Amino acid sequence: MATAQFGSETSQRGEWVRQANRFTDRIGSPDWPAEAGRYRLVVSLACPWAHRAVIVRRLLGLEDTISLGVVDPIRDDKGWRFTLDDGDRDPVLGIGYLSEAYLATDPSFSGRYTVPSLIDVPSGKVVTNDYPQITIDFSLRWKAFHRAGAPDLYPETLREEIDAVNAEVYRDVNNGVYRCGFATSQQAYDKAYAALFERLDALAARLADQRYLVGDTITEADVRLFTTLVRFDAVYHGHFKTNRNKLAELPVLWAYARDLFSTPGFGDTVDFDHIKRHYYGTHHQLNPSLIVPQGPDPRGWYEPHGREALGGRPFGSGTPPR
């Protein structure tokens, strides 16, 4: 590997490589039983990986079971900061920086402090920052605390298909936009750009005659795709050079994203201010001026999407979150 960049690394070919998750313990193990009030989910509202956990927590009704800490959208040299809270400290954990929880767990840790992180409140230690597993565990290992009418986001009969779709979406779309934005060679950028739009075209074809990615209800797969799509025009299209088309110029995906945006638990967890301030105000190498653009106009997200005509039941036999 070559020199570290943006908290991860670039290969000798200029390809961006995401940092591996350091903490991968699971709730439901003997050391970490599922208990209401014991754990705190720390997120940035700007981060798509953290946004997944916010959506799933809300859809399943875990707000009163797992508390939520939100960091400042601007990450400085010390990492994520709790400057949105009184005294610049998280009111539950009592820390000013997420790094304090990481170093309390592993004093030798020298990587990037990432969100989402699920932290054990009594000890102040990080249980997991394994973002793909956090949301799956919310569905499977916190069932006893789900609200009445919570949807099944990871139904057993569809898990193999959901996992396959998630793998493709992660490689080419979720992580693909970063591989475009942080590439340090033309060859690496071109490769990531081609894979991204080939996958978006394939997803559009898949969604042309079905409302959701897998089955006829919202699943984990829709959550994972949505958090990238909702950031696409605001930051990825320009900031990460993913500019073959805007999302608003891709009719099927634009309608699909608006359908989810209008669904309780999705649009009401989006913060475009945090999203734009983080990306444009943190990536100095990509945006030396740190100017945050005014657009795009968010009112387009509220336009009718017409996807109801495809059928489907957003929450299956369940109900929307409160």
Side-chain angles (χ1 to χ4, degrees):
M1 294 294 177
T3 56
Q5 181 179 358
F6 306 108
S8 291
E9 295 181 330
T10 52
S11 74
Q12 297 294 344
R13 296 186 297 274
E15 296 173 337
W16 186 74
V17 181
R18 182 169 295 279
Q19 172 184 292
N21 296 315
R22 167 61 182 84
F23 303 106
T24 57
D25 284 354
R26 305 272 303 274
I27 299 299
S29 65
D31 291 335
W32 308 114
E35 296 177 2
R38 176 167 175 174
Y39 304 98
R40 187 158 178 82
L41 178 66
V42 175
V43 304
S44 163
L45 299 181
C47 172
W49 320 101
H51 191 187
R52 298 174 177 183
V54 174
I55 292 172
V56 173
R57 171 179 173 270
R58 176 150 160 65
L59 292 178
L60 299 179
L62 293 172
E63 296 105 316
D64 294 335
T65 300
I66 303 168
S67 66
L68 187 70
V70 179
V71 296
D72 192 291
I74 303 299
R75 188 181 63 225
D76 66 14
D77 292 340
K78 293 183 180 180
W80 297 108
R81 311 169 295 166
F82 290 99
T83 55
L84 304 180
D85 297 299
D86 291 341
D88 294 345
R89 304 189 75 79
D90 181 87
V92 173
L93 299 170
I95 57 178
Y97 285 85
L98 179 59
S99 60
E100 296 175 53
Y102 272 64
L103 295 175
T105 313
D106 178 5
S108 66
F109 182 80
S110 59
R112 183 166 53 101
Y113 314 109
T114 64
V115 289
S117 289
L118 195 64
I119 299 175
D120 176 53
V121 174
S123 67
K125 294 182 177 181
V126 180
V127 178
T128 179
N129 69 335
D130 189 1
Y131 57 88
Q133 198 61 56
I134 287 174
T135 50
I136 296 296
D137 283 353
F138 280 177
S139 285
L140 300 184
R141 297 195 169 197
W142 289 90
K143 275 187 177 291
F145 300 94
H146 288 185
R147 65 179 177 86
D152 187 353
L153 300 176
Y154 196 51
E156 187 170 1
T157 57
L158 297 177
R159 285 176 197 170
E160 184 175 350
E161 186 177 0
I162 291 171
D163 291 346
V165 170
N166 285 346
E168 294 173 341
V169 168
Y170 170 79
R171 182 189 65 231
D172 298 332
V173 181
N174 300 147
N175 203 44
V177 293
Y178 286 84
R179 291 173 58 231
C180 289
F182 295 151
T184 58
S185 74
Q186 189 69 49
Q187 180 183 15
Y189 165 75
D190 290 346
K191 180 180 178 181
Y193 179 97
L196 167 64
F197 283 100
E198 181 179 349
R199 182 61 55 198
L200 289 177
D201 289 343
L203 290 167
R206 181 187 185 99
L207 289 163
D209 57 4
Q210 65 184 62
R211 191 171 179 185
Y212 303 111
L213 280 172
V214 182
D216 65 350
T217 64
I218 291 167
T219 68
E220 176 81 14
D222 299 293
V223 174
R224 295 189 183 196
L225 179 56
F226 174 78
T227 59
T228 296
L229 295 184
V230 79
R231 288 161 173 78
F232 201 90
D233 289 1
V235 290
Y236 301 144
H237 178 269
H239 190 55
F240 280 0
K241 308 180 187 72
T242 62
N243 58 357
R244 191 197 76 178
N245 304 95
K246 294 178 180 178
L247 178 66
E249 297 168 346
L250 301 171
V252 172
L253 292 179
W254 178 222
Y256 165 79
R258 298 200 317 277
D259 186 6
L260 291 175
F261 186 87
S262 67
T263 302
F266 285 84
D268 52 18
T269 63
V270 174
D271 192 315
F272 284 117
D273 174 64
H274 276 222
I275 289 168
K276 292 196 295 183
R277 283 201 289 135
H278 168 70
Y279 281 92
Y280 289 103
T282 299
H283 301 149
H284 298 69
Q285 295 91 330
L286 301 183
N287 185 34
S289 69
L290 303 183
I291 292 173
V292 179
Q294 289 290 330
D297 189 338
R299 287 178 294 183
W301 283 96
Y302 299 91
E303 295 175 356
H305 51 76
R307 298 278 295 178
E308 305 94 334
L310 295 175
R313 303 164 296 146
F315 302 101
S317 58
T319 59
R322 66 186 182 219

